Every structure is written in C-alpha cells, then in structure tokens.
C-alpha cells in the first residue's frame, strides 16, 4: 500500500472542521484590523528564500524542499510566507497607493524537519503582515491581532517579547555576544559551536541544558539598544499593556530568521509544552522590501500554525453544524419524490439528504441518527397522496405535522425554537 510521505497528514472531517473554524476566526480578526487576503504561489525561485529568509537560517540550510523543474530552474516549495509576500509587493508595485499595506494569508508551508507533536513537514500558517507603518502602534496592533486569534479560540496564551535592535546597534551587541561565547566555546553543544560564526543570537534559544545555562548569563541586548530602538520598544510595551495583552519581556526570544529588526515576539500557549506550545511568532523586518529590489519599506507581521492552534484549543470548541433533515422514502415513487424534495430544500439553503443506498426504513433511521440529522421525514405513498408528512425531532422524538410544500418554513421555525 502506498502511504503518505513522512511528516504529512490526512486531515479527516472532524479535524478539518476544527481547522475551518480556526481559519474562520482568524479571518474575522484580520478583517477587524483592516487586513485583506492575498494569495501567492506554492513554489518560488529558490533564490527568493536565500535573499528573503537568509542563508544563515536552519530553514534555508537544512529544511527546504528544493527541486529543478524540467527546464532546470531551481524552485522551492515555500517554507514560510513573508518572503513570498514581500516579493508580491515588489513585483506588483503594491506600495504606490494607499499606505500602509495590510495583508493576510492562509498557506500551506513545507519544511524538511524531524516530525514530532506540532511539527510536520507540511503545515498551514495563517499570517498577517503590515508594510509602511514605522510607528510602535503598528507593532502593537499586529501583536494584538495574533493574541486575539488565540483568545477567540479560547486558548490561554502569553506573548514573549524582545527587541533585537537595528542595523546600528545590533553589530555592537553581536560582537559582545560572540566574545562571551568564544570564551566559553568548549561548553557549547555541537550545533551552537557551528552557529557561533553564522548567527550568534541563535545560541540564545538553544534548548540544551548547558547552553541554556550559558544563555541565562549572556550579555543582554537591552543593554546595547540605541536610543531609537529603546524608545520603540518601550512604546510597544506600553501599547501592549494598555491593550490588556498578556506579555513577558524575554531577552532570549530571538527567532530563527535573519530578517528581523527591532521587535520580535512569540505567542506561547500557557498549557503547552515543547515546540507545540509556540503557537506563532513574528516581528519587524525593515530591510526586506529593499533587499528584494523595492523601496526601503518597513514591515511587521506574524504567522501562527493551524495545527498548533488546533492542539491548544479546548475540546468541543469547534462544533460542526449538523444537517437539518433526512428524508426517508418508502418505495420507488417516494424515492423519486424525496430526491426532488431534497433538491428544492437545498436550493433554499437547507442541508438535507435522502437514501442513496437502497436501505430499509429501519436502516435509514439508524443512518440518520448516526449522522446527527436534526429531523427526519418519512415519505411514502400516503404522504405523497395527502401532500402532508411528519417532521420528527431526532433529539426528543417530538413530531410536527406539515404540508410537504411547507417543510422549509416549518423546519426554520422548529430550528429557531431550539
Ligand atoms: P516560524 O515561521 O518558524 O516562525 O513559524 C511560525 C509558526 O508556524 C510556528 O509558531 C508554528 O505554529 C508554525 N510552524 C512552523 N513550523 C512548523 C512545522 N514544522 N509544523 C507545524 N507548524 C509549524
């Protein structure tokens, strides 16, 4: 038997209902903050991710699904959305008009990672990005939107917040950090020793116990921020405070990607553990649009993972809507009429089904019960002759007589009274 590739998932209807619910809530939040949906390709030129994600990152170094197409072009399945969105902004010249730009996206992403709870090789991100808004208020609104998505799903979460400085102050900090770690090189894990020359800040979020101990004592970026970054950070913190967002300042939140400047944050589920607890993350990236050939236009955004939100959501939060009516025919003439009745009901927006299998009446009732229909209507010759039938509630067995032609009105009244 052919099996699905490692790290991918079949999302069966009950789980899909959860994902649909999460997506719907996230879309509602995005609309409340004035963001519009944008869609872009699943694969891009590999070069985009080298430039837009950064060749020092794990994603680019180890995790990309890269392939040559039939013409030998190097293409990559997107590992995230920010680089593609920035490309779309530049390529479509979206920055000429009404600023700031506010977009959201729902995309599948691909990363060659070691699968574990909350970490797969194909996953779905919901992201929001804001361009051309330099004020700390922009950081506050984007972080708030991420937090409100968790809140709308009744997930208790906290924002881990940090500033990693800008082109002016970060080099000073990086030099201090490198010096600190170089002096302790023999205590680092192999990965950190490798990373030290590439991106020293990544050492701060290593999970190895010895590296964690070193990170706790490492120089703090907050002592090196320039005045502008300091002012930006404290205004962001003040904004979050006033918005009632639960946050904690965490000097070791640095994020894995190269493109961030100033604000970085992660949304952490209070009850979660390990990778699955990190519901989402984001930050400000001031240089990316310029890097891709556009103007110097700052951006700030985040992405949350749908599977992690689904794991963190309380059970029963996403209720699937039950179909309203099962029409059970008795006999061939009734079966034909039942099909016509169902088509009519569906045209009026009522979800209904009839027998497609040739089951006995008893078996049909069993099916209707298992499938969670709200009501059933048995239609036989006598119902067709009289033009009347009975709607039976599957919840309490209550019966309501109605003209067949009045089924929609009667059902709507019954459902409204529930
Ligand atoms: P990142 O782009 O790495 O900052 O990821 C942002 C969010 O996407 C994470 O917080 C997760 O919710 C989700 N995510 C990232 N990688 C994976 C993965 N391999 N499997 C599932 N979700 C992921």
């Amino acid at each position: 038997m052919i099996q699905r590739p490692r790290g991918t998932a079949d999302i069966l209807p009950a789980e899909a209902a959860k994902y649909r619910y999460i997506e719907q809530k996230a879309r509602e939040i995005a609309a409340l903050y004035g963001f519009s949906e944008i869609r872009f390709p699943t694969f891009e030129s590999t070069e985009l991710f080298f430039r837009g994600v950064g060749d020092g990152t794990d994603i680019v170094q180890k995790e990309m699904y890269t392939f040559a197409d039939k013409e030998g072009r190097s293409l990559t399945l997107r590992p995230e959305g920010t680089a593609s969105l920035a490309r779309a902004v530049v390529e479509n010249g979206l920055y000429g008009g009404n600023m700031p730009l506010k977009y959201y996206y729902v995309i599948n992403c691909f990363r060659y990672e070691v699968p574990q709870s909350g970490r797969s090789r194909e996953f779905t991100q919901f992201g929001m990005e804001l361009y051309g808004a330099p004020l700390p208020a922009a950081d506050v609104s984007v972080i708030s939107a991420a937090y409100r998505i968790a809140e709308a799903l009744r997930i208790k979460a906290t924002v881990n917040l940090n500033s990693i400085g800008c082109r002016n102050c970060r080099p000073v900090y990086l030099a201090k950090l490198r010096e600190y770690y170089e002096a302790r090189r023999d205590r680092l894990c192999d990965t950190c020793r490798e990373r030290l020359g590439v991106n020293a800040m990544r050492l701060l979020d290593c999970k190895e116990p010895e590296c964690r101990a070193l990170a706790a004592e490492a120089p703090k970026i907050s002592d090196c921020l320039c005045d502008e970054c300091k002012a930006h950070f404290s205004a962001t913190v003040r904004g979050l405070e006033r918005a009632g967002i639960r946050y904690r300042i965490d000097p070791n939140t640095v994020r894995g990607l190269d493109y961030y400047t100033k604000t970085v944050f992660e949304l952490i589920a209070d009850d979660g553990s390990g990778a699955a607890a990190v519901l989402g993350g984001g930050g400000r990236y001031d240089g990316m649009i310029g890097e891709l050939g556009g103007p110097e236009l700052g951006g700030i955004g985040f992405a949350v993972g749908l599977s992690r939100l689904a794991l963190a959501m309380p059970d029963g939060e996403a209720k699937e809507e039950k179909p309203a009516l099962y029409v059970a025919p008795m006999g061939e003439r009734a079966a034909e009429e039942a099909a016509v009745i169902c088509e009519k009901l569906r045209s009026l927006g009522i979800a209904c089904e009839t027998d497609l299998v040739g089951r006995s009446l008893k078996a049909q009732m069993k099916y209707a019960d298992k499938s969670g229909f709200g009501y059933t209507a048995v239609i036989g010759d006598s119902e067709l002759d009289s033009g009347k039938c009975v709607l039976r509630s599957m919840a309490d067995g209550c019966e309501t007589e109605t003209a067949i032609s009045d089924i929609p009105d009667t059902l709507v009244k019954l459902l409204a009274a529930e």
Side-chain angles (χ1 to χ4, degrees):
M1 199 187 68
I2 299 173
Q3 294 185 329
R4 59 178 186 264
R6 183 162 141 80
T8 63
D10 297 314
I11 299 170
L12 305 181
E15 191 68 3
K18 265 192 185 177
Y19 278 58
R20 209 164 48 241
Y21 179 79
I22 293 169
E23 214 181 294
Q24 180 204 329
K25 289 286 172 196
R27 284 174 188 274
E28 283 168 17
I29 301 281
L32 290 175
Y33 283 80
F35 286 64
S36 310
E37 185 178 6
I38 190 162
R39 298 183 184 215
F40 38 80
T42 306
F43 55 86
E44 299 268 3
S45 291
T46 302
E47 175 68 16
L48 173 69
F49 301 114
F50 273 96
R51 300 245 295 270
V53 179
D55 42 16
T57 59
D58 281 357
I59 291 182
V60 168
Q61 286 189 345
K62 302 185 202 148
E63 297 169 3
M64 294 207 302
Y65 279 90
T66 296
F67 58 97
D69 74 0
K70 291 190 191 301
E71 297 285 331
R73 286 173 284 242
S74 179
L75 300 174
T76 294
L77 297 181
R78 59 184 172 212
E80 51 105 69
T82 305
S84 301
L85 180 52
R87 186 216 27 84
V89 166
V90 175
E91 189 165 343
N92 296 285
L94 300 177
Y95 42 83
N98 207 14
M99 298 298 283
L101 302 173
K102 296 177 180 169
Y103 299 112
Y104 78 84
Y105 52 81
V106 191
I107 57 170
N108 53 346
C109 299
F110 307 85
R111 294 185 196 171
Y112 195 85
E113 295 200 83
V114 181
Q116 54 173 272
S117 170
R119 183 167 286 157
S120 45
R121 293 184 171 170
E122 180 181 17
F123 56 96
T124 306
Q125 279 190 344
F126 180 93
M128 286 172 63
E129 317 253 356
L130 171 53
Y131 290 99
L135 296 183
D139 305 46
V140 174
S141 87
V142 161
I143 297 170
S144 302
Y147 184 85
R148 300 295 177 213
I149 290 174
E151 201 175 57
L153 300 170
R154 298 209 299 128
I155 298 170
K156 287 209 177 69
T158 304
V159 173
N160 276 1
L161 185 71
N162 193 17
S163 170
I164 55 167
C166 66
R167 273 175 263 195
N168 299 327
C169 53
R170 192 164 9 160
V172 180
Y173 173 64
L174 284 177
K176 269 195 185 178
L177 197 60
R178 247 183 240 124
E179 195 185 324
Y180 169 83
Y181 276 120
E182 283 295 355
R184 293 155 184 84
R185 185 173 253 281
D186 51 335
R187 289 169 61 194
L188 293 172
C189 72
D190 290 347
T191 319
C192 283
R193 220 171 290 146
E194 247 175 63
R195 276 180 180 156
L196 185 51
V198 189
N199 186 349
M201 268 201 301
R202 291 296 312 284
L203 274 61
L204 295 172
D205 71 351
C206 179
K207 304 290 177 263
E208 292 295 325
E210 184 70 10
C211 298
R212 280 175 79 138
L214 285 176
E217 301 297 317
K220 301 275 178 281
I221 179 96
S222 49
D223 299 328
C224 296
L225 294 180
C226 62
D227 289 346
E228 193 198 319
C229 285
K230 251 187 216 154
H232 191 98
F233 191 59
S234 52
T236 303
V237 169
R238 220 166 33 246
L240 293 180
E241 191 83 56
R242 298 202 65 180
I245 309 293
R246 288 180 28 176
Y247 70 93
R248 83 170 77 84
I249 295 173
D250 174 18
N252 292 347
T253 293
V254 290
R255 315 274 301 132
L257 310 182
D258 279 356
Y259 50 61
Y260 290 112
T261 45
K262 292 185 178 153
T263 310
V264 290
F265 70 97
E266 282 180 341
L267 185 68
I268 312 288
D270 290 357
D271 299 334
S273 68
V278 187
L279 304 174
R284 179 172 277 284
Y285 41 94
D286 285 343
M288 169 132 29
I289 297 278
E291 174 68 25
L292 297 176
E296 283 300 316
L297 193 65
I300 174 150
F302 72 87
V304 286
L306 263 55
S307 57
R308 296 197 189 168
L309 292 170
L311 275 173
M313 218 163 71
D315 285 342
E317 187 63 14
K319 282 186 203 76
E320 214 176 344
E321 236 176 73
K322 294 291 182 194
L325 180 68
Y326 182 83
V327 183
M330 286 197 303
E332 227 167 88
R333 184 175 149 226
E336 278 183 25
E337 283 306 317
V340 174
I341 292 169
C342 281
E343 280 304 308
K344 176 86 196 306
L345 291 175
R346 290 177 192 132
S347 76
L348 295 166
I350 292 172
C352 57
E353 283 182 40
T354 183
D355 180 42
L356 304 176
V357 181
R359 287 188 172 115
S360 69
L361 185 60
K362 194 172 159 205
Q364 289 190 62
M365 288 304 151
K366 216 167 148 186
Y367 169 79
D369 190 33
K370 264 194 177 164
S371 310
F373 284 90
Y375 290 84
T376 52
V378 177
I379 308 268
D381 285 342
S382 65
E383 283 77 11
L384 292 178
D385 293 341
S386 68
K388 285 187 183 154
C389 70
V390 164
L391 299 182
R392 184 169 188 278
S393 161
M394 295 301 275
D396 56 16
C398 253
E399 297 192 338
T400 308
E401 199 185 52
T402 176
I404 291 178
S405 56
D406 283 344
I407 291 178
D409 284 347
T410 313
L411 253 182
V412 167
K413 277 187 204 133
L414 287 170
L415 291 170
E418 272 178 5

